[in-house]
Amino acid sequence: MRSETLRMALQVVVRSPGRSTLTVLGLAIGVAAFIAMVAFGQGARRAVLLQFEALGANMLRVRPRAAAHDIVSKPVHNLSASDVNALRRDATTLRVVVPHVRRAADLVRGNVRVRSTLMGTEPEYAPLHDWAAAQGGMFDARDVQEASKVCVLGASPAKKLFGDEEPLGGTVLIAGRIPCRVIGVLQTKGRAMSGSDLDDIALIPITTYKQLLGYDGYAYIELSPAQQGWLEPARKEAESIVRRMHGYTPDEPADFDVVSPDDVTRAADQTAQILTGLLAGIAAVSLLVGGIGIMNIQLVAVAERTHEIGIRSAIGAAPAQILKQFLVESGVLATVGTLLGVIAGVLSAYVVARIMGWPQAVSLGAVVLSGLFGISVGVIFGYIPALRAARLDPIVALRRE
């Protein structure tokens, strides 16, 4: 009986190809939209997180507080070498303490002039940011001690200044006047979500920067916890040490902040998850529309096949059998539509991710959920027409032309 019911359901679907195709198409679009929207949201979320990780993960940053003069009642201090020495001497939760200063500066080689971000820092800056060298290497502690006139270029200025020539050993004029020998080129990191070029940078020893360009204080002091998971203890300890150095009690507003890229990463992750849920909710509406399409088609089928239903009832078909017959037909339409939708949704997700440069993020959970939801919607919305067919009076049905 089960195989006969399925065979008859398939015959009915094939007998009305136009109507069946439109019904299947509506549900397929809904399922495909759901899978694709979830994949788009997760792919964009992963792309955002990768951008933040490129700026440094599991890291703290001590920075001067904006408009500190309006907040604190005591003299405002710049971040200085004394703060760095105190952090290195007194902190027990920190592994690396790296100060740096930065400014926009012209890099000149021959007739080529490039405007880039010039940063004075220490050798630990590159490993702290997980930034390996594509050519050469980073300057070392001896270069910092001797204020050597050496530099490490990001991929962008290296390409603009040297083109296809070998950059290592070449000379670049920093700020248009200070000669520095290129000893390394950093690997490319691409662009941030804001569109800024992460590779548009040049690094020199912080002592060289101070000797040649001068500065009032550090732009940042970056810190790395000694162990994974020590971010919060390290934050509290670093804040306590710098407060002491600047003369602030724990309850007073200070002239600095201790922040972490992880804070921004978590906020971006939460925002991306909300947007992914919103996209999934919007796409789920199209699944309901597909289910309503199945219901409408089945209602029309009941109206057209009223005489057939009457004959079946007259020769002994029970209402439960008629109900089952129409439910199986709805299930067949829903299953075919769902399978086509899964294929279309997965392909759309891969194509868009490839075009946008996002990580592939087709969720198996989304595929299974949309598949089950699509079939369930088709069967549930097919129940009303099936129930209507089962409740038809055989006498009335037989008299219908």
Side-chain angles (χ1 to χ4, degrees), residues 55-132:
L55 301 176
N58 195 38
M59 182 182 74
L60 295 168
R61 179 175 288 169
V62 183
R63 64 184 185 187
R65 174 170 286 180
H69 291 280
D70 300 330
I71 300 173
V72 302
S73 57
K74 296 180 179 181
V76 175
H77 301 78
N78 293 324
L79 297 176
S80 65
S82 298
D83 299 321
V84 173
N85 293 332
L87 288 166
R88 289 172 174 169
R89 181 185 64 246
D90 300 335
T92 59
T93 58
L94 298 179
R95 178 176 57 87
V96 176
V97 178
V98 182
H100 64 79
V101 289
R102 60 193 302 163
R103 59 176 287 185
D106 290 332
L107 308 179
V108 181
R109 178 177 181 266
N111 296 325
V112 182
R113 181 181 294 266
V114 175
R115 191 73 169 174
S116 185
T117 300
L118 177 65
M119 183 176 295
T121 186
E122 296 185 352
E124 293 81 4
Y125 177 85
L128 179 62
H129 288 259
D130 194 24
W131 211 338

Side-chain angles (χ1 to χ4, degrees), residues 19-250:
R19 185 170 63 192
S20 300
T21 300
L22 292 175
T23 305
V24 166
L25 184 62
L27 193 58
I29 291 174
V31 173
F34 185 85
I35 294 174
M37 289 297 183
V38 172
F40 296 162
Q42 291 184 347
R45 169 175 167 262
R46 291 183 185 179
V48 170
L49 295 181
L50 287 174
Q51 292 289 350
F52 280 110
E53 288 175 2
L55 301 176
N58 195 38
M59 182 182 74
L60 295 168
R61 179 175 288 169
V62 183
R63 64 184 185 187
R65 174 170 286 180
H69 291 280
D70 300 330
I71 300 173
V72 302
S73 57
K74 296 180 179 181
V76 175
H77 301 78
N78 293 324
L79 297 176
S80 65
S82 298
D83 299 321
V84 173
N85 293 332
L87 288 166
R88 289 172 174 169
R89 181 185 64 246
D90 300 335
T92 59
T93 58
L94 298 179
R95 178 176 57 87
V96 176
V97 178
V98 182
H100 64 79
V101 289
R102 60 193 302 163
R103 59 176 287 185
D106 290 332
L107 308 179
V108 181
R109 178 177 181 266
N111 296 325
V112 182
R113 181 181 294 266
V114 175
R115 191 73 169 174
S116 185
T117 300
L118 177 65
M119 183 176 295
T121 186
E122 296 185 352
E124 293 81 4
Y125 177 85
L128 179 62
H129 288 259
D130 194 24
W131 211 338
Q135 296 177 264
M138 193 70 176
F139 47 80
D140 56 23
R142 183 175 179 179
D143 292 318
V144 175
Q145 183 179 357
E146 297 177 354
S148 301
K149 293 182 179 179
V150 294
C151 62
V152 177
L153 300 179
S156 294
K159 181 66 176 177
K160 293 175 183 177
L161 291 170
F162 291 91
D164 295 330
E165 298 181 32
E166 174 61 48
L168 296 184
T171 300
V172 173
L173 296 180
I174 302 293
R177 56 187 173 83
I178 304 164
C180 280
R181 180 168 53 90
V182 179
I183 62 171
V185 177
L186 297 171
Q187 288 184 351
T188 182
K189 282 200 172 186
R191 291 188 175 273
M193 295 301 292
S194 62
S196 61
D197 187 0
L198 297 174
D199 300 314
D200 188 12
I201 191 173
L203 307 178
I204 63 175
I206 195 167
T207 49
T208 307
Y209 188 108
K210 180 178 182 180
Q211 186 180 94
L212 300 177
L213 300 172
Y215 57 83
D216 295 330
Y218 298 138
Y220 302 106
I221 301 174
E222 293 182 335
L223 317 170
S224 176
Q227 293 186 25
Q228 189 78 20
W230 282 19
L231 199 63
E232 280 307 311
R235 185 202 302 266
K236 293 178 181 178
E237 186 177 39
E239 182 176 353
S240 174
I241 292 172
V242 180
R243 276 183 175 274
R244 186 184 74 237
M245 295 298 298
H246 289 200
Y248 294 100
T249 65

